[in-house]
Amino acid sequence: MSTATRAADPTGAADPDGTAVRTGPVPRAAAGGAPSPVVVIDLDRAARRFRELREALPWVDARYEVTALAHPRLLAGFAADGSGFSVASDAGLEALRRVDADPRRVLHAATGAPWQERRRAWDAGVRLFVVDDVHALDVFVGAPAGTAVLLRLPPEHAVAAARHAQILGIRVAGLSLRLPAGAPAARIAADLREAGAAYTAIAAATGSRPGMLDLGEILATRASVRPAEVAELARSVRSLVAPATFGTVVTASLGRAVVADCITIVSGADERYADPATASGYIDAGAEVVIVRARTRTPSRAQRRPARARTTWSPAG
């Protein structure tokens, strides 16, 4: 049977008490009433999209960007599949807590976050943070053991920031690129080369070479990713990490492109695909959520998916 849950958070997370959990077919409106919208999430399809992107970037440690869609069944599925996560708010962190995601696999990527929010994150067990202002490093003085930062700063400023962090006793794990979503291949390659040079300069200035490089927002906010773009990114990353002496872990956050083709809004006889933001809006307004998986499908209107051209990455194109 499919499972329907009513959500109550802006992130699309389940009610903390687990209320309104029900099994059975998608509900229909009462006679004469307007049809109740239902959000259908295909977990198998989302998992397949995520694996496809990970396999296309074999040198990258992929994380799921929670702000794309934070329904608990979705997050639990990614966690079970070994995914790490990227969060940018207290709500996203709470959504992960509810599914017992490992906080050591979470990147707190909210640049400019108030110190109270970062403190709540490290109290929850998060130990990796993105920082885009050298003055924000002061917040991490006295942070729990194992805490480290990724510097989202221009390379020419990263060396000075790394020196400052060393004086404060804060570990710099590496850099987080400032690449915008959809950056051209030439820009990606240039930024990767600059990052490599910055790592060498940081090692010379501090005596310690950072071991992590985060690709930033380049994939996190994209609703669709063309195979050619992913292939080009994979080649650029490989050129950076292939030499054994480089010793750098490359991470990337994957968001909307993972779930964009996995959500359907059902209202009466009408069925249509929805982007994650639209789905979250319906969920926040109280729409029921039906989770479908291959082994739990039941014949109902929610499982009749409309035809649509594929817009997200797959090896088949």
Side-chain angles (χ1 to χ4, degrees):
M1 290 292 210
S2 300
T3 302
T5 62
R6 187 171 297 281
D9 275 6
T11 58
D15 184 285
D17 297 324
T19 57
V21 176
R22 184 185 48 72
T23 60
V26 177
R28 297 181 180 275
S36 301
V38 175
V39 179
V40 181
I41 303 175
D42 189 329
L43 291 189
D44 290 329
R45 195 164 183 155
R48 186 166 62 251
R49 291 282 186 269
F50 193 70
R51 292 192 192 106
E52 287 169 353
L53 280 164
R54 284 197 309 194
E55 290 166 4
L57 297 166
W59 299 276
V60 173
D61 179 17
R63 304 171 185 267
Y64 177 67
E65 169 54 64
V66 174
T67 55
L69 185 65
H71 191 276
R73 291 285 298 279
L74 190 69
L75 299 181
F78 288 142
D81 206 26
S83 171
F85 297 92
S86 176
V87 299
S89 67
D90 285 347
L93 193 61
E94 175 62 14
L96 290 175
R97 185 194 66 77
R98 290 174 179 170
V99 299
D100 294 323
D102 184 354
R104 295 169 298 179
R105 294 277 290 148
V106 174
L107 169 65
H108 194 276
T111 57
W115 68 267
Q116 298 95 331
E117 184 173 321
R118 285 180 167 137
R119 181 175 294 278
R120 286 191 290 271
W122 73 51
D123 285 345
V126 177
R127 295 294 180 263
L128 187 61
F129 297 80
V130 173
V131 172
D132 67 348
D133 183 346
V134 66
H135 301 293
L137 290 169
D138 297 345
V139 171
F140 294 91
V141 174
T147 299
V149 298
L150 291 167
L151 302 174
R152 187 170 290 173
L153 295 166
E156 62 271 20
H157 298 156
V159 177
R163 285 199 203 99
H164 183 58
Q166 186 178 50
I167 292 170
L168 296 175
I170 300 164
R171 185 168 72 89
V172 173
L175 304 182
S176 178
L177 299 185
R178 301 165 65 90
L179 287 166
R187 165 77 185 275
I188 294 170
D191 278 26
L192 288 172
R193 287 193 298 270
E194 289 182 0
Y199 278 38
T200 301
I202 289 172
T206 66
S208 177
R209 192 181 190 286
M212 183 176 290
L213 177 66
D214 175 48
L215 297 180
E217 304 300 317
I218 187 169
L219 293 173
T221 60
R222 302 286 300 279
S224 63
V225 182
R226 293 185 295 108
E229 293 178 87
V230 179
E232 184 61 39
L233 179 61
R235 284 192 291 270
S236 297
V237 171
R238 183 178 184 180
S239 70
L240 177 72
V241 304
T245 55
F246 195 80
T248 299
V249 175
V250 180
T251 70
S253 296
L254 310 177
R256 293 176 61 198
V258 174
V259 293
D261 234 15
C262 309
I263 308 165
T264 308
I265 304 296
V266 181
S267 182
D270 179 50
E271 302 177 8
R272 60 185 175 85
Y273 277 87
D275 62 85
T278 299
S280 291
Y282 276 104
I283 294 170
D284 298 344
E288 289 187 88
V289 179
V290 171
I291 302 297
V292 295
R293 304 202 68 163
R295 65 176 180 271
T296 61
R297 293 184 188 276
T298 57
S300 76
R301 61 188 178 122
Q303 281 75 59
R304 297 194 309 273
R305 305 189 65 85
R308 175 179 173 176
R310 179 172 292 174
T311 59
T312 54
W313 160 262
S314 96

